[in-house]
Amino acid sequence: MDKPRAPASFSAQLVAAILLACLVATLSVLFLSYTAVNAVDADAEARQIRFAQRAIVRETSRLLEQQQASTVWDEAVLHVRNGNRDWIDANLGTWMHEQYGQDETYIVDPDSRIVYVAREGVTGQPGPRSPLPPAVETMVEEMRAATRNPAESTADVAERSLTRFVLLGGKPALVSVVPIVPDTPALVQPAGTEYLHVAIQKADVDMAARLSSAYEFDRGSFSVQPGPDDRLSVPLRDAAGQPIAWFVWRADRPGHRIVEEMLPVVGLFAAFGAALLSWLLRTLWIASRRLHQSEEEARYLAMHDPLAGIPNRTLFEDRLDQALKAEKRGGPAVALLCLDLDRFKAVNDTMGHQAGDELIRQMAARLRSHVRETDTVARLGGDEFGVILIGMTSDETLGRYCSGLVHLLAAPCDLKCGQVQIGASIGAVRAAAVEGGKESLLRSADTALYRAKAEGRGRYCIATPEMTDMFRRRHEIERDLRRAVAEGGQIHVLYQPIFDAEERIVAAEALVRWNHPALGQMGPETFLSIAEETGLIERIGHHVLEQACILAATSGIPRVSVNVSPVQLRHETFADEVLAVMSAHALSGERLVLELTERFTLDAGPSTLANLARLRAAGVSIALDDFATGQSLLRYVRDYQIDTIKIDRSYVARLGTGDGTDQIVRAILDLGRAMGIEVTAEGVERASQREALLGMGCHGFQGYLLGRPMDPLRLAALSARKGVAQKSA
Ligand code: C2E
Ligand code: CA
Ligand code: CA
């Protein structure tokens, strides 16, 4: 369930985006080319249509010119009048067919009789029996009217011609009607008496060929309807301007032609481009998948423990967040286990790291085998594991589950180097039993784990509300203490006098107090351990030291005693700090005593010893506090060159009870005398205690009997009343 997968979605998106971009680019190019090609073609077509129209006009004037070359001629007038058929054949009739390819020729006399007919070069029988086609008849009448009454005529009387396209028997033809008139003034031809010459040129293959050759139209022909799509056509119009037929040819489309010619080359390029693109995309796809995979692997590594192959703390906390959120929304109940292997360190130290690694792996595997798919097992560090259990609704079930787990983990493990048997302690908590979020849940589980270990390991403990309550309070104090240290003003110092046998003040012990804005004055026992855990003790201790030095510098009190936490003492710069404060207040070392609790001796490292040596060299005395409560062995007194020991107040309290305390106290006093060490008795509350101690030879007294911790003003008043001892050399 925790192996990395390589989702291809990103690669797919990238490739899709590139493909889309290419598609858009290709479509744009195609669209632009298409538009350009069409524009070029439209231009070309417009030009061809203009040329065709011009050719048709030329065809019309050609027919007219051919006609008028012979009809405007004195000789023609005379020969027609005389009916000289041979001459007419040779100049106006069959000759026109032979010379120009005209299809039909007619000559009409002033009385509208047809006096000459030639069809396809063959002379026919004239007369009313071969009447003109009706369209031609109309033109002849128009021309006759024009010659009689030039002003009212639509015909071109100036040139005396009427040329137009008409339908003859359903087929288009060009018909021209002109009068036969003299070309010199020598011959008189009265208006309206002219013979008319009719020339007909069918719009046939020949005419089409002529039109085509003029402008190189492809496959030009005439048709009674406009051409289909790939053809262009120009209408032939009748007198009324109505199209009666069309000249049709195959359009020349240079744009399309170029495209067709270039198509193979373009295709080749396109194929090459497509191949290149697909190669690029493939490379990109592979590269991005690889990138993805390594990203996934990196993410997996960031979220998993490489040794145990299970989630690490980061992922664990993430999943815990999710599970808690889900529970808040009404999802299944969540429980959390913090698990610590017992005696793991011993295996690691004695059998080597490889055995340790193997052990971690096996334990992780056992844990995983014990949880469900929806649960999470994580390695939180070292030999610590965390488990998130989903759907754990009661402490009873949780207890049974934990007990099974303890049992499972206590079973022997087969390692390469032999069999070992370790075990595990478990702290468990159900989210429903704790207020606050993930942090307090983790802390509760930790508390329970701590409790389980304290109770003897190889067991589990379920966090109770009281336990978690305590933790919450600690948490609040920590928060407030941080603020107090940061803002200043809340932490101050009281001084408790220490007396000699004559009840003169020999010293004062600085005791820290915290004026909590809501909870009032608080003693050190409520906040010192938190200050030590969080490191705040450094700044608090510095403040106390400074205040104490000020007191010593400004009062006649021979010496001030300052309690020092082991945490401070361990700090490499501690001695420097103390010496700096002393010199800032011009205080000699003899005026300062540092009180160490017995705890320091347990973890006195090289820096602690170096600090002590430097301070002692500067004349500072060292007192051993709460003497005889812990493991204050004589060795420590000697090794750390203690100047003073302070008998713990529990001994003073039990003086005279006959439980052997008196003997112990006497022995301590004897020891002090023998080693040249001063001894102060703490917690002297009753005169009887002072007397007993005096009788045993004690010379230092501290306690409520003689003076409670007090502020500097009251201390000054008290020392004025009682007097102070001479400063010891
Ligand atoms: P301690 O060094 O043993 O200080 C003496 C404690 O006994 C003081 O408690 C004092 O008020 C109390 N005491 C004095 N005479 C009597 C008496 O006749 N009867 C009874 N019952 N108690 C008496 P306090 O001030 O609450 O301090 C508790 C402990 O806190 C101190 O024990 C000391 O270990 C630590 N502490 C106090 N101030 C500081 C400080 O500035 N720095 C550090 N590191 N620890 C401090
Ligand atoms: Ca003390
Ligand atoms: Ca003490």
Side-chain angles (χ1 to χ4, degrees):
M1 59 176 169
D2 296 309
K3 280 282 143 202
R5 276 168 295 137
S9 64
F10 173 74
S11 318
Q13 276 169 14
L14 191 68
V15 167
I18 291 175
L19 275 178
L20 191 70
C22 288
L23 188 71
V24 167
T26 310
L27 284 180
S28 308
V29 167
L30 284 179
F31 175 73
L32 287 177
S33 312
Y34 174 80
T35 317
V37 162
N38 274 350
V40 166
D41 285 352
D43 240 35
E45 284 173 12
R47 201 166 45 243
Q48 288 168 58
I49 285 173
R50 272 200 316 276
F51 286 162
Q53 283 163 342
R54 212 174 291 163
I56 287 166
V57 170
R58 266 181 44 183
E59 187 66 24
T60 315
S61 38
R62 182 176 157 271
L63 180 62
L64 187 62
E65 276 162 21
Q66 290 166 1
Q67 228 179 344
Q68 286 183 336
S70 308
T71 54
V72 184
W73 192 8
D74 289 356
E75 262 184 62
V77 177
L78 293 173
H79 286 293
V80 170
R81 275 189 199 158
N82 295 337
N84 188 342
R85 185 161 283 271
D86 288 343
W87 191 92
I88 291 172
D89 264 346
N91 291 284
L92 296 173
T94 49
W95 184 80
M96 292 273 187
H97 174 74
E98 283 148 20
Q99 190 67 22
Y100 304 123
Q102 289 177 8
D103 293 305
E104 291 176 29
T105 310
Y106 301 90
I107 294 175
V108 183
D109 75 0
D111 298 324
S112 294
R113 281 188 308 242
I114 297 166
V115 293
Y116 179 83
V117 179
R119 291 195 180 94
E120 307 294 339
V122 179
T123 312
Q125 197 59 49
R129 289 195 177 268
S130 51
L132 292 168
V136 180
E137 184 72 52
T138 313
M139 288 176 72
V140 167
E141 264 152 36
E142 258 181 71
M143 178 52 82
R144 180 66 65 213
T147 52
R148 286 195 192 124
N149 192 2
E152 285 172 15
S153 144
T154 56
D156 190 352
V157 180
E159 290 293 325
R160 288 166 186 253
S161 68
L162 204 57
T163 311
R164 67 173 66 129
F165 281 99
V166 295
L167 279 180
L168 297 183
K171 291 191 172 144
L174 186 59
V175 176
S176 185
V177 181
V178 295
I180 300 171
V181 291
D183 62 333
T184 62
L187 193 68
V188 176
Q189 176 71 50
T193 62
E194 300 91 342
Y195 281 73
L196 300 182
H197 185 268
V198 178
I200 295 177
Q201 179 94 60
K202 285 183 189 154
D204 56 7
V205 194
D206 294 338
M207 191 192 276
R210 241 185 345 265
L211 289 179
S212 297
S213 73
Y215 290 102
E216 295 185 358
F217 293 125
D218 188 10
R219 282 175 232 173
S221 65
F222 290 100
S223 154
V224 286
Q225 58 209 13
D229 264 357
D230 64 330
R231 308 274 155 150
L232 290 178
S233 35
V234 165
L236 308 178
R237 296 180 189 278
D238 65 6
Q242 290 304 313
I244 50 168
W246 280 266
F247 176 56
V248 179
W249 71 99
R250 210 172 76 138
D252 176 25
R253 296 189 166 119
H256 276 78
R257 214 174 50 229
I258 288 173
V259 168
E260 274 160 28
E261 275 164 18
M262 279 175 59
L263 217 53
V265 182
V266 171
L268 217 67
F269 271 107
F272 179 71
L276 192 70
L277 183 70
S278 69
W279 176 79
L280 267 175
L281 286 180
R282 216 184 95 86
T283 313
L284 190 73
W285 173 267
I286 291 169
S288 98
R289 272 192 76 110
R290 262 194 215 132
L291 188 71
H292 240 280
Q293 252 155 13
S294 56
E295 240 172 45
E296 281 299 313
E297 273 159 27
R299 200 169 321 170
Y300 178 86
L301 286 180
M303 292 289 187
H304 289 79
D305 182 79
L307 174 63
I310 55 177
N312 63 10
R313 184 181 282 273
T314 313
L315 185 54
F316 179 76
E317 292 195 3
D318 197 56
R319 294 227 178 128
L320 186 55
D321 271 334
Q322 308 281 330
L324 292 178
K325 270 186 209 147
E327 180 175 0
K328 250 192 207 125
R329 287 194 304 263
V334 177
L336 170 68
L337 308 189
C338 276
L339 210 138
D340 210 84
L341 299 184
D342 301 327
R343 291 183 299 279
F344 171 76
K345 201 174 168 319
V347 173
N348 212 36
D349 289 350
T350 54
M351 302 176 86
H353 289 300
Q354 255 175 347
D357 288 356
E358 234 185 311
L359 199 54
I360 290 289
R361 270 196 294 267
Q362 287 198 14
M363 286 302 186
R366 278 190 203 178
L367 275 169
R368 285 188 61 170
S369 73
H370 198 65
V371 303
R372 288 181 299 183
E373 267 292 292
T374 46
D375 300 338
T376 300
V377 175
R379 185 171 176 215
L380 304 182
D383 57 351
E384 250 188 89
F385 292 88
V387 181
I388 302 167
L389 298 171
I390 306 291
M392 196 56 81
T393 46
S394 76
D395 278 351
E396 287 73 53
T397 350
L398 182 58
R400 273 200 301 279
Y401 186 88
C402 290
S403 141
L405 201 54
V406 166
H407 202 73
L408 178 76
L409 299 178
C413 289
D414 287 318
L415 303 183
K416 278 197 198 102
C417 54
Q419 204 182 54
V420 296
Q421 186 167 14
I422 60 167
S425 306
I426 300 173
V429 64
R430 285 186 307 113
V434 179
E435 277 178 46
K438 181 182 72 182
E439 299 303 329
S440 50
L441 196 65
L442 278 166
R443 230 185 306 207
S444 298
D446 254 346
T447 320
L449 173 61
Y450 185 80
R451 184 68 66 85
K453 282 167 137 181
E455 283 171 1
R457 297 163 191 272
R459 62 189 68 214
Y460 70 90
C461 171
I462 295 176
T464 60
E466 296 72 49
M467 255 187 251
T468 50
D469 242 31
M470 194 183 79
F471 261 84
R472 209 193 56 234
R473 268 205 304 281
R474 270 183 81 86
H475 185 63
E476 284 165 4
I477 288 178
E478 180 187 328
R479 186 196 59 206
D480 295 349
L481 190 62
R482 265 182 209 287
R483 198 172 302 153
V485 167
E487 289 170 2
Q490 290 180 23
I491 292 181
H492 63 110
V493 185
L494 296 185
Y495 301 90
Q496 188 177 30
I498 298 169
F499 298 86
D500 64 7
E502 283 79 42
E503 280 200 26
R504 289 170 307 188
I505 295 177
V506 289
E509 179 177 359
L511 295 163
V512 70
R513 295 290 180 270
W514 176 16
N515 242 335
H516 190 283
L519 305 173
Q521 178 148 297
M522 303 218 292
E525 74 283 352
T526 53
F527 64 90
L528 269 190
S529 63
I530 295 174
E532 286 182 338
E533 274 172 27
T534 53
L536 288 168
I537 190 68
E538 314 243 347
R539 291 183 58 185
I540 295 173
H542 193 268
H543 177 68
V544 173
L545 178 74
E546 190 139 46
Q547 295 300 308
C549 286
I550 289 170
L551 180 92
T554 56
S555 74
I557 308 287
R559 297 205 283 184
V560 285
S561 237
V562 175
N563 294 285
V564 174
S565 145
V567 178
Q568 288 171 277
L569 206 58
R570 223 179 293 149
H571 218 279
E572 274 164 15
T573 58
F574 177 70
D576 291 334
E577 274 170 43
V578 175
L579 295 177
V581 173
M582 279 164 50
S583 82
H585 299 284
L587 201 69
S588 69
E590 288 70 28
R591 306 274 311 275
L592 185 64
V593 182
L594 296 184
E595 296 193 7
L596 316 180
T597 77
E598 290 184 338
R599 278 183 297 149
F600 99 94
T601 53
L602 292 174
D603 51 11
S607 50
T608 300
L609 297 175
N611 277 327
L612 286 178
R614 288 204 58 197
L615 290 164
R616 283 188 55 83
V620 176
S621 308
I622 309 296
L624 192 56
D625 211 347
D626 310 332
F627 188 74
T629 51
Q631 300 152 306
S632 40
L633 302 169
L634 286 176
R635 188 161 62 83
Y636 294 141
V637 177
R638 197 191 55 223
D639 286 359
Y640 303 122
Q641 296 182 288
I642 300 298
D643 302 288
T644 305
I645 50 184
K646 299 183 78 172
I647 301 176
D648 191 62
R649 66 169 180 267
S650 57
Y651 287 85
V652 175
R654 290 206 304 277
L655 279 173
T657 55
D659 65 350
T661 305
D662 291 31
Q663 284 86 337
I664 293 173
V665 172
R666 198 186 301 274
I668 294 170
L669 287 162
D670 288 345
L671 171 88
R673 254 193 308 280
M675 295 181 80
I677 292 172
E678 287 181 29
V679 177
T680 300
E682 290 185 306
V684 182
E685 293 180 348
R686 292 193 299 276
S688 60
Q689 292 167 339
R690 180 174 171 269
E691 245 107 80
L693 288 161
L694 252 179
M696 295 175 189
C698 180
H699 294 289
F701 304 93
Q702 181 180 4
Y704 293 169
L705 173 70
L706 301 162
R708 289 180 173 257
M710 58 188 81
D711 59 35
L713 276 178
R714 292 184 55 199
L715 183 67
L718 185 69
S719 57
R721 218 168 55 234
K722 298 262 184 180
V724 296
Q726 289 312 324
K727 288 171 199 170
S728 51

